[in-house]
Structure formats: C-alpha cells, structure tokens
Amino acid sequence: GAVVSQHPSRVICKSGTSVKIECRSLDFQATTMFWYRQFPKQSLMLMATSNEGSKATYEQGVEKDKFLINHASLTLSTLTVTSAHPEDSSFYICSARQGPNTEAFFGQGTRLTVV
Amino acid sequence: GESVGLHLPTLSVQEGDNSIINCAYSNSASDYFIWYKQESGKGPQFIIDIRSNMDKRQGQRVTVLLNKTVKHLSLQIAATQPGDSAVYFCAENVGAGGTSYGKLTFGQGTILTVHP
C-alpha cells in the first residue's frame, strides 16, 4: 500500500522559534497533499491543501503567514510553523494523494509542543 | 461545515459484543464517506468507505450504513476485540473523483473501549 511518512514524529520547540514538519510520499508521487491539525480530544481539522508547484490553498481562519507550506517536489511537502506559541501545540497530520481520482493516505502525525 | 467536538462521545463494550458507532455529517453535497480508526499518537487508519450511491457496504467484521435522507452514517463492528479500542472518526468528501478527492471534513469522533 501507499506509504506516507512524517518527520519528526515529535518535536519540542521554544516559544518564538520556527519549526518545520516534513511529509513524504515514499512509494508514489503526490500531486496533492493535505495538512490537518488535531488538538487533544478533538477531531482533525483541515488547514490547507498543497499542490505540487503551486501555492497552497488555506482554509478559512488559518494564517498563511504563520503556517508556511511548501510543496516543491512530488514526494515532499513541508509545513513550517513560524514564531510558534504554546497555543500552536497540537498534532499535525498530513495526507497525500497521487492524482485527482485517487484516495489520500495519511502520515503518522507529528506532535508539536511549544514551551 | 465543520464538525469539531470538545468532548468526544464514548462507547464501552465487552469483548465479543457488536459495536455501533454513529456519525451525523454536515454537507448534503458530500458524495464519499470514510471511517477511520485512530490510536493514541498515530495518524488515522482507513477502515471502510462508501459512496453516496450506496446505502450499505461490508468489509471484514465491519459494515457501514449510509442514510442520506437524514445525513447519518454508522459503523458496525462485529465481535469487537480489545484491539479495536481506539477513536473512530467518520469523514466526508465533496467532489470525490475530482480535484477535491481526499479533502476531508471529519466528524467529532467516538472513543471505543473494549473490555476483555
């Protein structure tokens, strides 16, 4: 089956710093990747849709200047949380799909803790 | 619309019982639905899906029922096992088969606990 890998799986950073999370499709080329955020005991909420070679599309209420998304290759998308604050602490999950008519597969998630 | 819960509903069952987890979805235009299982600290794991032109689909030990009239989805797990303990989410997709395929809106989730 299709494998999507996130790195790191856990990260702790200091308030005010930036942290980058990687999402890789290991055995397929992903034209589209999706980034979700999940707070404790809550559901997943879509943050943005990332298409290879173009700007990401952000959901309403998600600050594009705070959550920088880059999808420069067909196997890698990155989410950078800039000037992180404790309220950004969350579980960040990506999914990736090969094409418009294919299902999306999820990564294992990244636990971000901002102290 | 978005479905986010601050307190997830819970379901406790005994090993061997059948479990039914329910989900109310929000968008009448959704045409594809998926159930996911999420264990602590992990990403969602695909269980079963169903398209809007169906009202029932069966997998191994799982059955999904779709009632479009009332926008309701259910997941039935037969002979529930302790390994089934997890949080279960339904997700809906508008425009599946097109450019929105995989762009999911998740339901609030249900915590399933299976007691041996």
Side-chain angles (χ1 to χ4, degrees):
Chain A
V3 179
V4 177
S5 178
Q6 285 183 238
H7 178 80
S9 57
R10 289 177 175 270
V11 59
I12 300 173
C13 71
K14 291 185 177 180
S15 186
T17 63
S18 297
V19 61
K20 181 184 288 187
I21 301 169
E22 296 183 346
C23 179
R24 292 182 185 273
S25 56
L26 298 186
D27 52 1
F28 67 100
Q29 292 186 324
T31 58
T32 302
M33 291 184 175
F34 302 94
W35 286 96
Y36 295 84
R37 178 169 54 182
Q38 183 179 30
F39 291 109
K41 299 192 184 302
Q42 294 191 26
S43 188
L44 285 76
M45 290 184 62
L46 181 66
M47 299 175 67
T49 302
S50 168
N51 291 299
E52 187 268 337
S54 62
K55 290 184 178 180
T57 303
Y58 290 81
E59 295 299 303
Q60 190 173 7
V62 178
E63 301 174 58
K64 61 180 181 181
D65 294 331
K66 181 168 182 62
F67 299 99
L68 302 179
I69 293 173
N70 184 287
H71 192 163
S73 80
L74 285 170
T75 58
L76 175 64
S77 176
T78 60
L79 168 67
T80 301
V81 182
T82 63
S83 186
H85 291 284
E87 57 264 32
D88 298 323
S89 298
S90 188
F91 195 50
Y92 292 87
I93 309 169
C94 72
S95 69
R97 72 175 195 207
Q98 186 170 10
N101 294 317
T102 60
E103 69 176 286
F105 299 92
F106 281 89
Q108 76 274 30
T110 296
R111 172 74 60 193
L112 169 64
T113 303
V114 184
V115 298
Chain B
E2 296 179 348
S3 301
V4 177
L6 295 179
H7 302 284
L8 300 181
T10 59
L11 174 64
S12 291
V13 300
Q14 290 296 126
E15 181 178 3
D17 288 350
N18 297 331
S19 301
I20 299 176
I21 300 171
N22 296 302
C23 175
Y25 64 92
S26 56
N27 192 338
S28 57
S30 293
D31 51 10
Y32 179 56
F33 305 88
I34 310 171
W35 278 101
Y36 288 96
K37 173 185 181 183
Q38 187 181 31
E39 296 175 319
S40 181
K42 297 183 179 180
Q45 176 186 349
F46 175 94
I47 300 173
I48 191 168
D49 59 359
I50 188 168
R51 294 197 175 273
S52 59
N53 60 353
M54 303 172 68
D55 53 20
K56 180 179 180 179
R57 189 158 188 237
Q58 288 184 292
Q60 187 176 14
R61 279 204 307 123
V62 294
T63 301
V64 55
L65 299 177
L66 173 64
N67 185 331
K68 296 182 288 295
T69 303
V70 295
K71 293 190 287 187
H72 183 268
L73 201 63
S74 69
L75 175 70
Q76 300 176 3
I77 305 174
T80 317
Q81 303 166 1
D84 294 327
S85 295
V87 181
Y88 288 80
F89 292 97
C90 67
E92 57 187 298
N93 196 159
V94 177
T99 55
S100 295
Y101 197 1
K103 183 178 178 182
L104 301 175
T105 300
F106 280 79
Q108 67 176 82
T110 296
I111 301 172
L112 175 65
T113 303
V114 183
H115 301 283

